[in-house]
Amino acid sequence: CTVEECNVLTTHGPWGSYLHRFGRRTSPACQCGSQVQDIEHLTKCPKFSTHTNDIDQVIKNRKQFGALCTELVRRGRSMNK
């Protein structure tokens, strides 16, 4: 299991809801205006709307689970620098 896969499976990753829980962010909200930035939100976030179909395709193909995890962690990191 990669670090990214563990992040997604445990929901312990670089997204607002997790970082807020441990005082690393002042709010769990997403930059797009959503009240909570979590894994589920990152798959639908309008900030990444051009990539939504890519995520849908990855979800349908379980062999690409690692790629999905890597992308979700990348999104979380890029939005929480």
Side-chain angles (χ1 to χ4, degrees):
C1 178
T2 67
V3 171
E4 290 84 3
E5 290 170 344
C6 289
N7 286 153
V8 171
L9 291 171
T10 63
T11 69
H12 300 166
W15 25 85
S17 60
Y18 182 73
L19 297 173
H20 175 69
R21 190 167 93 188
F22 292 98
R24 306 289 289 170
R25 281 188 54 183
T26 57
S27 168
C30 183
Q31 294 171 0
C32 74
S34 174
Q35 293 296 313
V36 177
Q37 182 195 69
D38 56 14
I39 295 170
E40 183 178 351
H41 171 72
L42 288 173
T43 65
K44 302 170 189 164
C45 181
K47 188 168 173 110
F48 294 101
S49 62
T50 58
H51 301 288
T52 301
N53 290 334
D54 296 339
I55 291 292
D56 290 341
Q57 287 301 102
V58 170
I59 290 169
K60 289 176 185 174
N61 185 352
R62 294 185 71 189
K63 291 180 181 178
Q64 294 183 352
F65 180 69
L68 170 64
C69 296
T70 299
E71 176 62 12
L72 290 173
V73 170
R74 185 195 67 75
R75 288 180 181 194
R77 285 183 182 146
S78 71
M79 295 178 83
N80 293 298
K81 289 184 178 183

